[in-house]
Amino acid sequence: MDLFIGLATGVLFGAALYLADAASPVKMRQMLRLEDLTVFKIILFAIGLSNVLLFAFNMLGILNLSHLSVKTMHLGVIIGGLIFGVGFGMVGSCPGTSFAAIGTNVYKQALMIAIGGIIGALIFSLMYGNFEAMGIFKSFNFGKMTLFRISDKYPSVTEIGYVGLLVMGVVFMAIAWFMPDKRRA
Amino acid sequence: MEMNGNSHGWVFKAIFLGLVFAVSVLVIKPVGVSTQFSMIGGMIHSVIDPSVITEDSSRKSGYRSTNAYYDKSEGSLAKDIKNPLNFAMVFLLAIPLGGFIAWSMDPNKRNKMAQDALRVSGPKSAFEKYYIREILGGFIFVFGARLADGCTSGHMMSGIMQGSISGFVFAACAFVVAIPVAKALKKLG
Protein backbone atom coordinates (compact mmCIF):
# COMPACT_ATOMS: atom_id res chain seq x y z
CA MET A 1 0.00 0.00 0.00
CA ASP A 2 2.82 2.39 0.92
CA LEU A 3 4.50 1.66 -2.40
CA PHE A 4 1.33 2.46 -4.29
CA ILE A 5 0.93 5.73 -2.37
CA GLY A 6 4.57 6.49 -3.14
CA LEU A 7 3.95 5.91 -6.83
CA ALA A 8 0.78 8.03 -6.90
CA THR A 9 2.13 10.95 -4.87
CA GLY A 10 5.46 10.87 -6.75
CA VAL A 11 3.72 11.04 -10.13
CA LEU A 12 1.50 13.90 -8.95
CA PHE A 13 4.46 15.77 -7.43
CA GLY A 14 6.54 15.38 -10.62
CA ALA A 15 3.63 16.54 -12.79
CA ALA A 16 2.94 19.50 -10.49
CA LEU A 17 6.60 20.58 -10.54
CA TYR A 18 6.62 20.41 -14.33
CA LEU A 19 3.40 22.43 -14.61
CA ALA A 20 4.82 25.02 -12.19
CA ASP A 21 7.78 25.39 -14.63
CA ALA A 22 10.02 24.35 -11.74
CA ALA A 23 11.40 21.46 -13.82
CA SER A 24 12.95 23.95 -16.25
CA PRO A 25 16.40 25.05 -15.08
CA VAL A 26 16.17 28.01 -17.50
CA LYS A 27 12.93 29.25 -15.88
CA MET A 28 14.29 28.65 -12.40
CA ARG A 29 17.44 30.64 -13.16
CA GLN A 30 15.25 33.48 -14.48
CA MET A 31 13.32 33.36 -11.24
CA LEU A 32 16.48 33.44 -9.13
CA ARG A 33 17.75 36.43 -11.15
CA LEU A 34 14.37 38.02 -10.25
CA GLU A 35 13.57 38.46 -13.94
CA ASP A 36 10.44 36.31 -13.97
CA LEU A 37 8.78 35.61 -10.65
CA THR A 38 6.05 33.26 -11.93
CA VAL A 39 7.62 30.11 -10.47
CA PHE A 40 8.13 31.88 -7.14
CA LYS A 41 4.50 33.02 -7.09
CA ILE A 42 3.26 29.51 -7.84
CA ILE A 43 5.34 27.97 -5.06
CA LEU A 44 4.41 30.67 -2.53
CA PHE A 45 0.72 30.33 -3.35
CA ALA A 46 0.96 26.53 -3.17
CA ILE A 47 2.59 26.66 0.26
CA GLY A 48 -0.08 29.14 1.43
CA LEU A 49 -2.83 26.86 0.17
CA SER A 50 -1.25 23.86 1.91
CA ASN A 51 -1.19 25.89 5.18
CA VAL A 52 -4.92 26.55 4.79
CA LEU A 53 -5.64 22.92 3.89
CA LEU A 54 -3.72 21.67 6.93
CA PHE A 55 -5.92 23.93 9.07
CA ALA A 56 -9.02 22.58 7.31
CA PHE A 57 -7.99 18.91 7.63
CA ASN A 58 -7.35 19.43 11.34
CA MET A 59 -10.68 21.16 11.83
CA LEU A 60 -12.47 18.32 10.05
CA GLY A 61 -10.63 15.86 12.29
CA ILE A 62 -9.12 13.97 9.34
CA LEU A 63 -5.48 14.98 9.92
CA ASN A 64 -3.45 12.17 11.46
CA LEU A 65 -0.98 14.04 13.66
CA SER A 66 1.55 11.21 13.39
CA HIS A 67 1.90 12.09 9.68
CA LEU A 68 3.38 15.48 10.56
CA SER A 69 7.13 15.60 10.20
CA VAL A 70 8.97 18.66 11.46
CA LYS A 71 12.72 18.87 11.04
CA THR A 72 15.15 19.92 13.76
CA MET A 73 16.55 23.45 13.73
CA HIS A 74 20.34 23.44 14.16
CA LEU A 75 23.45 25.12 12.76
CA GLY A 76 23.53 22.58 9.91
CA VAL A 77 20.28 24.08 8.57
CA ILE A 78 21.97 27.50 8.28
CA ILE A 79 25.30 26.32 6.82
CA GLY A 80 23.61 23.67 4.68
CA GLY A 81 21.04 26.19 3.44
CA LEU A 82 23.79 28.63 2.41
CA ILE A 83 25.73 25.86 0.61
CA PHE A 84 22.50 24.66 -1.01
CA GLY A 85 21.96 28.21 -2.30
CA VAL A 86 25.26 28.09 -4.22
CA GLY A 87 24.25 24.98 -6.16
CA PHE A 88 20.64 26.09 -6.51
CA GLY A 89 21.74 29.45 -7.96
CA MET A 90 24.35 27.87 -10.25
CA VAL A 91 22.13 25.34 -11.94
CA GLY A 92 18.56 26.51 -11.31
CA SER A 93 17.43 23.17 -10.04
CA CYS A 94 17.07 21.31 -6.78
CA PRO A 95 16.77 17.64 -5.79
CA GLY A 96 13.03 17.30 -6.54
CA THR A 97 12.92 19.41 -9.69
CA SER A 98 15.98 17.71 -11.16
CA PHE A 99 14.13 14.38 -10.93
CA ALA A 100 10.99 15.89 -12.48
CA ALA A 101 13.19 17.22 -15.32
CA ILE A 102 14.52 13.71 -16.05
CA GLY A 103 11.13 13.06 -17.66
CA THR A 104 11.32 16.09 -19.96
CA ASN A 105 13.31 17.43 -22.90
CA VAL A 106 16.17 18.56 -20.62
CA TYR A 107 16.75 14.99 -19.40
CA LYS A 108 20.48 15.04 -20.20
CA GLN A 109 21.16 18.03 -17.97
CA ALA A 110 18.79 16.63 -15.34
CA LEU A 111 20.57 13.26 -15.21
CA MET A 112 23.91 15.01 -14.81
CA ILE A 113 22.48 17.08 -11.94
CA ALA A 114 21.19 13.89 -10.30
CA ILE A 115 24.56 12.14 -10.72
CA GLY A 116 26.33 15.15 -9.20
CA GLY A 117 23.80 15.06 -6.38
CA ILE A 118 24.34 11.37 -5.62
CA ILE A 119 28.11 11.95 -5.44
CA GLY A 120 27.44 14.94 -3.15
CA ALA A 121 25.27 12.79 -0.88
CA LEU A 122 27.92 10.08 -0.74
CA ILE A 123 30.71 12.53 0.14
CA PHE A 124 28.46 14.03 2.83
CA SER A 125 27.87 10.57 4.33
CA LEU A 126 31.62 10.02 4.50
CA MET A 127 32.10 13.39 6.24
CA TYR A 128 29.10 13.20 8.57
CA GLY A 129 31.14 11.93 11.54
CA ASN A 130 33.43 14.99 11.28
CA PHE A 131 30.49 17.41 11.19
CA GLU A 132 28.97 15.66 14.18
CA ALA A 133 32.27 15.88 16.09
CA MET A 134 32.41 19.61 15.29
CA GLY A 135 29.06 19.96 17.06
CA ILE A 136 27.24 21.45 14.06
CA PHE A 137 24.05 19.54 14.82
CA LYS A 138 24.14 20.58 18.48
CA SER A 139 24.69 24.34 18.05
CA PHE A 140 21.70 26.62 17.48
CA ASN A 141 19.61 23.57 18.25
CA PHE A 142 16.03 24.58 18.96
CA GLY A 143 14.65 21.10 18.44
CA LYS A 144 11.73 20.47 16.12
CA MET A 145 10.29 23.90 16.71
CA THR A 146 7.24 25.28 14.93
CA LEU A 147 5.74 28.74 14.73
CA PHE A 148 2.31 27.55 15.83
CA ARG A 149 1.20 24.80 18.17
CA ILE A 150 0.31 22.05 15.67
CA SER A 151 1.13 19.08 17.88
CA ASP A 152 2.13 18.40 21.49
CA LYS A 153 5.14 16.57 20.04
CA TYR A 154 6.77 19.82 18.95
CA PRO A 155 7.79 22.93 20.91
CA SER A 156 6.24 26.07 19.44
CA VAL A 157 7.12 29.77 19.42
CA THR A 158 3.53 30.82 20.04
CA GLU A 159 0.58 29.13 21.71
CA ILE A 160 -1.59 29.88 18.66
CA GLY A 161 -2.84 26.66 17.08
CA TYR A 162 -3.83 25.75 13.53
CA VAL A 163 -5.59 29.07 13.05
CA GLY A 164 -2.07 30.55 12.85
CA LEU A 165 -1.41 28.37 9.78
CA LEU A 166 -4.71 29.56 8.28
CA VAL A 167 -3.79 33.24 8.67
CA MET A 168 -0.24 32.70 7.43
CA GLY A 169 -1.53 30.74 4.45
CA VAL A 170 -3.98 33.45 3.46
CA VAL A 171 -1.21 36.07 3.74
CA PHE A 172 1.11 33.96 1.51
CA MET A 173 -1.62 33.52 -1.10
CA ALA A 174 -2.42 37.23 -1.07
CA ILE A 175 1.26 38.17 -1.51
CA ALA A 176 1.54 35.70 -4.42
CA TRP A 177 -1.66 37.03 -6.00
CA PHE A 178 -0.53 40.65 -6.00
CA MET A 179 3.13 40.04 -6.82
CA PRO A 180 4.12 41.20 -10.31
CA ASP A 181 5.24 38.41 -12.69
CA LYS A 182 7.99 40.18 -14.48
CA ARG A 183 10.54 42.83 -13.80
CA ARG A 184 12.78 44.55 -16.25
CA ALA A 185 16.08 42.66 -16.29
CA MET B 1 -2.02 31.65 -21.08
CA GLU B 2 1.78 31.77 -21.29
CA MET B 3 1.76 34.83 -23.45
CA ASN B 4 -0.71 36.87 -21.47
CA GLY B 5 1.05 38.68 -18.63
CA ASN B 6 -2.17 39.67 -16.92
CA SER B 7 -3.59 36.16 -16.84
CA HIS B 8 -3.99 34.38 -13.57
CA GLY B 9 -3.57 30.95 -15.20
CA TRP B 10 -0.63 30.33 -12.87
CA VAL B 11 -3.11 30.01 -9.99
CA PHE B 12 -4.40 26.65 -11.27
CA LYS B 13 -0.84 25.32 -11.33
CA ALA B 14 -0.32 26.64 -7.80
CA ILE B 15 -3.54 25.00 -6.58
CA PHE B 16 -2.45 21.67 -8.06
CA LEU B 17 0.96 21.89 -6.38
CA GLY B 18 -0.57 22.97 -3.05
CA LEU B 19 -3.02 20.05 -3.19
CA VAL B 20 -0.14 17.64 -3.72
CA PHE B 21 1.65 18.94 -0.57
CA ALA B 22 -1.51 18.74 1.52
CA VAL B 23 -2.78 15.38 0.23
CA SER B 24 0.66 13.89 0.78
CA VAL B 25 0.63 14.75 4.50
CA LEU B 26 -3.00 13.62 4.72
CA VAL B 27 -2.34 10.13 3.35
CA ILE B 28 1.21 9.39 4.49
CA LYS B 29 3.73 12.14 5.23
CA PRO B 30 5.03 15.43 3.83
CA VAL B 31 6.96 15.33 0.54
CA GLY B 32 10.75 15.10 0.76
CA VAL B 33 13.41 14.22 -1.76
CA SER B 34 17.00 14.64 -0.65
CA THR B 35 17.20 11.69 1.80
CA GLN B 36 16.82 9.34 -1.15
CA PHE B 37 20.05 10.72 -2.63
CA SER B 38 21.80 9.47 0.52
CA MET B 39 20.11 6.09 0.07
CA ILE B 40 21.37 5.78 -3.52
CA GLY B 41 24.84 7.00 -2.51
CA GLY B 42 24.81 4.43 0.30
CA MET B 43 23.80 1.64 -2.09
CA ILE B 44 26.82 2.46 -4.26
CA HIS B 45 29.00 2.72 -1.16
CA SER B 46 27.95 -0.69 0.12
CA VAL B 47 28.67 -2.29 -3.26
CA ILE B 48 32.21 -0.87 -3.21
CA ASP B 49 32.68 -1.74 0.45
CA PRO B 50 30.24 -4.51 1.48
CA SER B 51 31.44 -4.38 5.09
CA VAL B 52 30.14 -0.84 5.65
CA ILE B 53 26.66 -2.11 6.57
CA THR B 54 26.15 -5.36 8.45
CA GLU B 55 23.11 -7.11 9.87
CA ASP B 56 22.59 -6.82 13.61
CA SER B 57 19.53 -8.49 15.04
CA SER B 58 20.00 -6.77 18.41
CA ARG B 59 18.85 -3.54 16.83
CA LYS B 60 15.35 -2.46 15.98
CA SER B 61 16.35 -1.63 12.39
CA GLY B 62 18.24 -4.93 12.10
CA TYR B 63 21.33 -3.18 10.71
CA ARG B 64 24.53 -1.57 11.91
CA SER B 65 27.06 0.52 9.99
CA THR B 66 30.63 1.63 10.45
CA ASN B 67 29.55 4.89 8.80
CA ALA B 68 28.15 7.30 11.40
CA TYR B 69 25.51 8.68 9.03
CA TYR B 70 24.03 5.33 8.00
CA ASP B 71 24.22 4.22 11.63
CA LYS B 72 22.37 7.31 12.94
CA SER B 73 18.96 6.78 14.61
CA GLU B 74 19.55 3.09 15.35
CA GLY B 75 20.71 2.35 11.80
CA SER B 76 17.58 3.56 10.07
CA LEU B 77 19.35 4.76 6.92
CA ALA B 78 21.42 1.55 6.86
CA LYS B 79 18.14 -0.38 6.81
CA ASP B 80 16.78 1.75 3.94
CA ILE B 81 20.01 1.29 1.96
CA LYS B 82 19.71 -2.50 2.30
CA ASN B 83 15.93 -2.47 1.64
CA PRO B 84 15.53 0.29 -0.93
CA LEU B 85 12.11 -0.77 -2.23
CA ASN B 86 10.23 1.49 0.17
CA PHE B 87 7.86 4.43 0.02
CA ALA B 88 10.56 7.12 -0.22
CA MET B 89 12.41 5.46 -3.10
CA VAL B 90 9.25 4.68 -5.09
CA PHE B 91 8.15 8.29 -4.53
CA LEU B 92 11.49 9.56 -5.90
CA LEU B 93 11.45 7.29 -8.95
CA ALA B 94 7.84 8.20 -9.72
CA ILE B 95 8.72 11.92 -9.95
CA PRO B 96 10.33 11.66 -13.45
CA LEU B 97 7.31 9.63 -14.57
CA GLY B 98 5.00 12.43 -13.45
CA GLY B 99 7.26 14.97 -15.14
CA PHE B 100 7.15 12.92 -18.34
CA ILE B 101 3.36 12.56 -18.32
CA ALA B 102 2.85 16.30 -17.79
CA TRP B 103 5.47 17.13 -20.44
CA SER B 104 3.89 14.77 -23.01
CA MET B 105 0.49 16.36 -22.48
CA ASP B 106 1.80 19.94 -22.56
CA PRO B 107 0.51 21.73 -25.69
CA ASN B 108 3.31 24.28 -25.26
CA LYS B 109 6.16 21.80 -25.20
CA ARG B 110 7.43 22.54 -28.71
CA ASN B 111 7.59 26.19 -27.90
CA LYS B 112 9.46 25.48 -24.67
CA MET B 113 11.86 23.07 -26.36
CA ALA B 114 12.61 25.71 -28.98
CA GLN B 115 13.43 28.18 -26.21
CA ASP B 116 15.76 25.68 -24.53
CA ALA B 117 17.37 24.75 -27.85
CA LEU B 118 18.00 28.41 -28.60
CA ARG B 119 19.94 28.67 -25.39
CA VAL B 120 22.29 25.81 -26.19
CA SER B 121 22.69 26.43 -29.92
CA GLY B 122 25.98 27.60 -31.35
CA PRO B 123 29.46 26.45 -30.39
CA LYS B 124 29.42 24.83 -27.00
CA SER B 125 31.93 25.75 -24.35
CA ALA B 126 33.63 22.94 -22.42
CA PHE B 127 31.53 24.11 -19.49
CA GLU B 128 28.33 23.16 -21.31
CA LYS B 129 29.68 20.21 -23.26
CA TYR B 130 30.75 18.28 -20.18
CA TYR B 131 27.83 19.45 -18.05
CA ILE B 132 30.19 21.02 -15.51
CA ARG B 133 27.48 23.36 -14.24
CA GLU B 134 25.02 20.52 -13.78
CA ILE B 135 27.35 18.05 -12.06
CA LEU B 136 28.93 20.67 -9.79
CA GLY B 137 25.60 22.36 -9.01
CA GLY B 138 23.94 19.04 -8.16
CA PHE B 139 26.90 18.03 -6.03
CA ILE B 140 26.80 21.30 -4.07
CA PHE B 141 23.07 21.50 -3.49
CA VAL B 142 22.66 17.90 -2.36
CA PHE B 143 25.69 18.23 -0.07
CA GLY B 144 24.09 21.35 1.47
CA ALA B 145 20.68 19.69 1.68
CA ARG B 146 22.10 16.71 3.56
CA LEU B 147 23.88 19.01 6.01
CA ALA B 148 20.60 20.86 6.53
CA ASP B 149 18.67 17.54 6.64
CA GLY B 150 16.32 18.62 3.87
CA CYS B 151 15.98 20.52 0.62
CA THR B 152 13.48 22.73 -1.15
CA SER B 153 10.90 19.95 -0.86
CA GLY B 154 11.40 18.81 2.71
CA HIS B 155 12.39 22.10 4.33
CA MET B 156 10.88 24.83 2.20
CA MET B 157 7.63 23.32 0.96
CA SER B 158 6.78 20.71 3.60
CA GLY B 159 8.52 22.61 6.41
CA ILE B 160 6.80 25.94 5.85
CA MET B 161 3.49 24.11 5.26
CA GLN B 162 3.76 23.00 8.90
CA GLY B 163 5.15 26.36 10.07
CA SER B 164 8.48 24.81 11.06
CA ILE B 165 11.28 27.19 12.05
CA SER B 166 13.92 25.12 10.25
CA GLY B 167 11.90 25.49 7.02
CA PHE B 168 11.87 29.29 7.18
CA VAL B 169 15.56 29.45 8.10
CA PHE B 170 16.53 27.06 5.30
CA ALA B 171 14.51 28.99 2.70
CA ALA B 172 16.00 32.32 3.79
CA CYS B 173 19.59 30.99 3.71
CA ALA B 174 19.07 29.28 0.33
CA PHE B 175 17.61 32.36 -1.41
CA VAL B 176 20.09 34.82 0.15
CA VAL B 177 22.88 32.94 -1.64
CA ALA B 178 21.06 31.60 -4.72
CA ILE B 179 19.88 35.02 -5.96
CA PRO B 180 23.33 36.68 -6.15
CA VAL B 181 24.90 33.47 -7.53
CA ALA B 182 22.28 33.27 -10.29
CA LYS B 183 22.73 36.96 -11.10
CA ALA B 184 26.51 36.63 -11.19
CA LEU B 185 26.27 33.69 -13.61
CA LYS B 186 23.79 35.45 -15.94
CA LYS B 187 26.24 35.52 -18.84
CA LEU B 188 26.28 31.72 -18.85
CA GLY B 189 22.57 31.72 -19.70
Side-chain angles (χ1 to χ4, degrees), chain A residues 1-175:
Chain A
M1 188 58 192
D2 275 8
L3 297 186
F4 176 75
I5 295 172
L7 178 69
T9 50
V11 165
L12 289 172
F13 188 48
L17 288 176
Y18 175 81
L19 290 175
D21 271 339
S24 160
V26 174
K27 280 273 183 185
M28 290 279 273
R29 293 200 291 262
Q30 283 173 351
M31 172 195 79
L32 290 172
R33 294 196 303 255
L34 309 178
E35 292 166 7
D36 183 347
L37 296 177
T38 314
V39 184
F40 186 77
K41 283 167 58 148
I42 293 174
I43 292 170
L44 184 63
F45 191 96
I47 293 173
L49 176 65
S50 69
N51 290 144
V52 173
L53 288 172
L54 223 55
F55 162 83
F57 294 158
N58 182 62
M59 200 177 63
L60 294 170
I62 55 172
L63 181 64
N64 183 342
L65 292 183
S66 72
H67 287 178
L68 295 174
S69 170
V70 172
K71 293 175 191 277
T72 309
M73 177 61 216
H74 51 61
L75 184 59
V77 176
I78 299 172
I79 301 173
L82 296 170
I83 295 172
F84 180 91
V86 176
F88 186 32
M90 259 181 84
V91 74
S93 190
C94 50
T97 60
S98 68
F99 262 73
I102 290 174
T104 74
N105 58 311
V106 290
Y107 64 93
K108 275 188 202 153
Q109 284 99 317
L111 277 171
M112 292 299 165
I113 296 169
I115 290 168
I118 291 163
I119 301 169
L122 181 53
I123 301 293
F124 172 78
S125 297
L126 298 175
M127 292 173 70
Y128 175 81
N130 304 63
F131 291 130
E132 197 182 29
M134 286 158 70
I136 284 182
F137 308 110
K138 292 232 161 50
S139 350
F140 287 98
N141 191 314
F142 292 90
K144 296 174 185 293
M145 189 173 267
T146 53
L147 209 46
F148 309 110
R149 192 146 196 89
I150 57 166
S151 164
D152 293 337
K153 278 191 298 188
Y154 308 123
S156 61
V157 179
T158 67
E159 284 305 311
I160 304 167
Y162 278 81
V163 70
L165 284 183
L166 171 71
V167 173
M168 187 173 84
V170 170
V171 170
F172 283 166
M173 290 193 290
I175 293 171

Side-chain angles (χ1 to χ4, degrees), chain B residues 68-120:
Chain B
Y69 194 54
Y70 309 150
D71 201 54
K72 194 167 82 110
S73 314
E74 285 282 298
S76 68
L77 189 56
K79 180 188 172 193
D80 287 342
I81 291 166
K82 287 296 179 186
N83 304 277
L85 190 65
N86 55 27
F87 164 79
M89 192 57 84
V90 173
F91 173 80
L92 178 80
L93 298 178
I95 294 174
L97 181 61
F100 177 73
I101 293 169
W103 176 75
S104 325
M105 289 168 30
D106 185 354
N108 271 321
K109 68 169 179 281
R110 290 189 185 284
N111 192 7
K112 285 183 187 170
M113 280 169 76
Q115 281 176 9
D116 286 339
L118 205 62
R119 190 184 68 84
V120 294

